[in-house]
Amino acid sequence: MIKFTFVFILIYWYCINKNNEKQVSEYNYIIAILFFLMMGLRNEAIFGDTYGYVKNFWDLKDMSIQHIIWRWPKDSFFYIFTHYLHPIVFHNYTVWFLVIAALYMYPMYLIVKRYSLNPMFSWICFIFIGLMSFNMAGFRQTMAFGLVMTAFLKLMDGKKSYFFGGMAIAYFFHGTSLICLLYYPLSKLNFNRKMIVWYIVGLAVLMLA
């Protein structure tokens, strides 16, 4: 499936007029829909953690909040959220998958649409740096990262309160999202090519120290 998607992205990109903003926008939209459907309509056996999440999904249907907190003390927020989401998604794990896919793919689509100079390259990177696999493996991480991306978009729109609010909610889904608070000070920096080189050199020195 990944090979098919890779080939589709390449062929589709070379069949459109890159100078036509409408066609490029349609390209982004269709590729995002493709990934959304792949995430949402996949079988419960796809990726190692999916089956466990589906099993927990069925268990949650008849659990009390106290039982959820007792069973998952560290991840209570995610499972309580899923518990209340159960009737909204008609007790259907595929609809649940689609909700999570939308939470992740919509802000991803907006980021590529707004900021990518080469959407084809951006979507290919999405596959090969592991983000495509990542969003199908860990549900808590996927929801947290979707909220982080939404918060980032709000920050770029100058809405700081929405950014920090989104980051706070993302933290309850997965604590590692706090590292993305660095978006705020980084958004204040004036980046140019020279500065980017110096940041990369500085980061490399810190990693090798």
Side-chain angles (χ1 to χ4, degrees), residues 25 28-29 31-33 102-117 119 122-123 146 149-154 156-157:
S25 180
N28 277 326
Y29 179 76
I31 297 301
I33 289 293
L103 181 64
Y104 184 92
M105 285 310 308
Y106 184 65
M108 177 67 76
Y109 157 75
L110 290 178
I111 288 172
V112 174
K113 181 181 180 181
R114 290 189 191 181
Y115 303 113
S116 177
L117 298 177
S122 297
W123 289 116
M149 289 190 290
T150 302
F152 166 78
L153 288 166
K154 293 299 181 183
M156 298 306 290
D157 290 338

Side-chain angles (χ1 to χ4, degrees), residues 148 163 167 171 174-186:
V148 165
F163 168 73
M167 292 300 304
Y171 167 77
H174 206 279
T176 56
S177 58
L178 283 181
I179 194 171
C180 295
L181 285 171
L182 290 171
Y183 287 162
Y184 182 71
L186 288 174

Side-chain angles (χ1 to χ4, degrees), residues 4 12 29 31 65 69-70 104 115 119 132 134 143 152 170 178 184 204:
F4 162 78
Y12 189 15
Y29 179 76
I31 297 301
I65 300 301
I69 295 172
W70 173 81
Y104 184 92
Y115 303 113
M132 179 180 172
F134 166 83
M143 296 181 75
F152 166 78
L178 283 181
Y184 182 71

Side-chain angles (χ1 to χ4, degrees), residues 21-193:
E21 291 186 9
K22 183 179 179 181
Q23 287 191 12
V24 173
S25 180
E26 289 175 351
Y27 168 86
N28 277 326
Y29 179 76
I30 290 172
I31 297 301
I33 289 293
L34 174 66
F35 283 121
F36 165 74
L37 293 175
M38 289 175 63
M39 287 180 65
L41 300 180
R42 72 186 189 274
N43 185 271
E44 63 186 74
I46 302 298
F47 286 90
D49 293 342
T50 306
Y51 180 77
Y53 277 110
V54 171
K55 185 177 182 302
N56 291 339
F57 176 78
W58 292 123
D59 291 344
L60 283 165
K61 181 180 178 181
D62 300 314
M63 280 189 181
S64 66
I65 300 301
Q66 291 79 7
H67 191 182
I68 292 172
I69 295 172
W70 173 81
R71 183 167 172 180
W72 296 286
K74 293 183 179 180
D75 308 323
S76 298
F77 186 84
F78 169 76
Y79 288 107
I80 292 172
F81 173 82
T82 303
H83 171 79
Y84 284 112
L85 199 63
H86 234 281
I88 298 172
V89 298
F90 311 107
H91 310 292
N92 186 304
Y93 79 82
T94 299
V95 181
W96 182 47
F97 283 4
L98 288 167
V99 170
I100 296 173
L103 181 64
Y104 184 92
M105 285 310 308
Y106 184 65
M108 177 67 76
Y109 157 75
L110 290 178
I111 288 172
V112 174
K113 181 181 180 181
R114 290 189 191 181
Y115 303 113
S116 177
L117 298 177
N118 188 327
M120 181 193 72
F121 183 72
S122 297
W123 289 116
I124 289 174
C125 287
F126 178 72
I127 295 174
F128 287 102
I129 67 174
L131 287 176
M132 179 180 172
S133 300
F134 166 83
N135 65 39
M136 294 192 191
F139 285 27
R140 292 187 303 114
Q141 297 92 321
T142 300
M143 296 181 75
F145 196 45
L147 289 164
V148 165
M149 289 190 290
T150 302
F152 166 78
L153 288 166
K154 293 299 181 183
L155 178 63
M156 298 306 290
D157 290 338
K159 299 177 179 178
K160 294 186 291 184
S161 59
Y162 286 94
F163 168 73
F164 287 110
M167 292 300 304
I169 298 171
Y171 167 77
F172 286 113
F173 282 107
H174 206 279
T176 56
S177 58
L178 283 181
I179 194 171
C180 295
L181 285 171
L182 290 171
Y183 287 162
Y184 182 71
L186 288 174
S187 70
K188 302 297 182 182
L189 298 176
N190 183 23
F191 286 98
N192 54 47
R193 291 185 179 180

